[in-house]
Amino acid sequence: MINIPLIQVKNVSVTFQSKKQTIHAVKDVTFDVYEGDIFGIIGSSGAGKSTLVRTLNRLADPTSGEIDVNGVNIATLSGKALQNFRFKMGMIFQNFNLAASKTVYENIAFVLKAAGKKGEAVKSRVQELLTLVGLSDKADAYPAELSGGQKQRVGIARALANDAKILLCDEATSALDPQTTTAILELLKQLNRDFKLTIVLITHEIDVIKKICNRVAVMSNGKIVELNDTFALFSQPQQAFTQSFLNVDENTLLPDNIKNNVKGTLIRLRYIHENATQPILYQSAQLTHVEFNILHGFIEYFNDRALGNLVVELIGKPDNIQALIQLLKDHDVIIEDIS
Ligand SMILES: Nc1ncnc2c1ncn2[C@@H]1O[C@H](COP(=O)(O)OP(=O)(O)OP(=O)(O)O)[C@@H](O)[C@H]1O
Ligand SMILES: [Mg+2]
């Protein structure tokens, strides 16, 4: 059986036409999302992220291109089929979009009733959803009585009410403090794990991507400039834009007074933690008669994977330094000369 992606975005462009100008918000974007993905779309303000994601649930229509969900071209959907499609694709927002005059219970019950559920079925489903998002005691509260994190939990419950299989998140944690953000991301992870919920998540926060996405697309100026597994993207970004946007260098920048005093060759090593680079560096340096001086080091975590970073000064004969670098590369260490 061929593994059809859950969402196929094919050459999608979105153009806005006003009297004065034409804005090409999304330009010829193509990518697939697989079932069970937590697919991140990251990019700076105005990159076209929201516009792109709005085309996935027909909140906006592409100017050209096609989007298939479950193998069906969503542009062909209308009436009941379109309504059912939308029930299966929930969405949450930065500003939560809850009805202020409705209680938590009513906010969720509303979408269940819209899908034709009645009476006891609504009651029990709302209770089930509130338990799922950890708000079983808040059914009668109004949105104004909730914290930001609690409001987003209601947003999630509402988005999933009609058994959504896909959740679209547009900056869903951008209005939350770091601790609350972590809690909401944990909830999304749990839903992804327990219900195979596929998540497409827009953010401008790199940490959000690192924490939960398994795949990520980097958007700039309407285009996807790079797409990869999260770990691969952060450990080996290919495009200059991605490198500067992800700021992979930021943590390894040395203060000028240190950098100016470096006499040897300055290199950055990036390695997957399981490779246990410290002994490899030590042994390789001994073998090649090069001295090394660790100036900076840290480990970043991506889900359960660790990426090590070291900035090291190498002192020795140029040939020996080259031999050392080659030995490290043979051990899958990524080396950059940053002298
Ligand atoms: N309805 C619209 N009419 C005209 N232009 C629009 C419309 N919606 C978006 N745009 C323009 O399209 C471009 C992309 O906007 P979009 O909201 O998709 O960016 P974004 O990546 O989500 O940005 P942010 O991170 O600030 O939310 C921007 O130049 C924006 O001004
Ligand atoms: Mg946006």
Side-chain angles (χ1 to χ4, degrees):
M1 208 181 84
I2 303 166
N3 189 11
I4 298 176
L6 186 54
I7 306 173
Q8 294 171 282
V9 177
K10 305 174 184 173
N11 304 106
V12 164
S13 296
V14 183
T15 303
F16 296 110
Q17 190 75 52
S18 72
K19 273 186 196 140
K20 282 191 191 142
Q21 55 177 345
T22 308
I23 295 170
H24 299 282
V26 176
K27 300 173 189 164
D28 195 22
V29 162
T30 297
F31 64 95
D32 293 334
V33 177
Y34 287 89
E35 189 178 8
D37 268 349
I38 304 185
F39 188 96
I41 300 175
I42 188 159
S44 36
S45 190
K49 307 180 296 295
S50 295
T51 307
L52 174 61
V53 162
R54 287 162 58 84
T55 64
L56 299 183
N57 64 352
R58 297 260 326 252
L59 274 178
D61 286 324
T63 313
S64 61
E66 179 178 323
I67 295 164
D68 294 359
V69 176
N70 267 324
V72 175
N73 178 355
I74 63 171
T76 64
L77 299 172
S78 62
K80 199 111 197 96
L82 178 59
Q83 202 185 15
N84 279 334
F85 162 76
R86 287 204 167 118
F87 289 145
K88 299 296 170 203
M89 193 174 310
M91 187 158 184
I92 55 174
F93 306 87
Q94 178 170 8
N95 57 3
F96 320 117
N97 284 12
L98 302 178
S101 61
K102 288 186 164 75
T103 63
V104 166
Y105 179 91
E106 291 161 350
N107 263 284
I108 302 170
F110 180 78
V111 294
L112 290 165
K113 289 174 188 163
K117 289 210 171 64
K118 291 191 175 67
E120 211 36 58
V122 172
K123 248 189 187 162
S124 60
R125 179 67 179 147
V126 173
Q127 211 44 58
E128 189 177 77
L129 286 158
L130 287 177
T131 305
L132 186 67
V133 300
L135 287 183
S136 41
D137 55 338
K138 293 289 180 191
D140 298 325
Y142 285 88
E145 298 166 330
L146 301 177
S147 70
Q150 289 169 336
K151 282 183 206 169
Q152 197 56 288
R153 286 171 190 270
V154 179
I156 292 169
R158 187 182 57 179
L160 301 182
N162 292 308
D163 302 308
K165 299 283 177 267
I166 302 171
L167 180 67
L168 309 178
C169 311
D170 191 345
E171 301 283 2
T173 56
S174 299
L176 306 175
D177 64 64
Q179 227 175 345
T180 311
T181 293
T182 302
I184 293 292
L185 295 180
E186 281 304 320
L187 174 60
L188 293 178
K189 245 193 212 177
Q190 179 199 327
L191 297 168
N192 167 261
R193 203 172 46 227
D194 295 351
F195 303 104
K196 240 187 166 191
L197 180 71
T198 302
I199 300 176
V200 178
L201 179 152
I202 301 177
T203 184
H204 59 267
E205 292 172 290
I206 290 163
D207 276 347
V208 169
I209 297 280
K210 284 182 185 171
K211 278 202 178 112
I212 70 164
C213 297
N214 63 313
R215 294 170 66 220
V216 53
V218 181
M219 248 190 127
S220 168
N221 195 20
K223 291 193 172 134
I224 288 185
V225 292
E226 192 160 349
L227 192 160
N228 212 336
D229 289 347
T230 306
F231 192 75
L233 188 89
F234 280 91
S235 55
Q236 281 184 288
Q238 302 296 312
Q239 304 296 325
F241 176 84
T242 316
Q243 286 164 5
S244 68
F245 184 75
L246 301 182
N247 238 341
V248 287
D249 298 350
E250 185 184 49
N251 291 311
T252 47
L253 283 179
L254 293 175
D256 280 346
N257 61 336
I258 304 250
K259 194 166 178 178
N260 294 340
N261 283 322
V262 169
K263 296 188 181 58
T265 304
L266 201 56
I267 60 166
R268 175 171 42 232
L269 295 82
R270 280 209 205 97
Y271 61 96
I272 294 162
H273 193 45
E274 302 90 76
N275 285 3
T277 295
Q278 298 261 19
I280 293 170
L281 176 60
Y282 178 74
Q283 287 157 10
S284 307
Q286 292 245 305
L287 274 173
T288 52
H289 308 291
V290 173
E291 282 179 42
F292 69 90
N293 183 16
I294 295 176
L295 300 173
H296 191 76
F298 66 99
I299 295 171
E300 278 191 297
Y301 291 91
F302 298 80
N303 285 316
D304 50 355
R305 302 192 71 188
L307 180 66
N309 284 270
L310 284 180
V311 174
V312 176
E313 177 186 15
L314 302 177
I315 302 155
K317 291 187 185 141
D319 283 355
N320 291 352
I321 288 179
Q322 281 319 309
L324 168 59
I325 288 175
Q326 193 52 51
L327 269 179
L328 293 170
K329 284 182 176 169
D330 292 346
H331 283 94
D332 294 327
V333 178
I334 301 157
I335 308 276
E336 253 175 284
D337 191 330
I338 54 170
S339 301

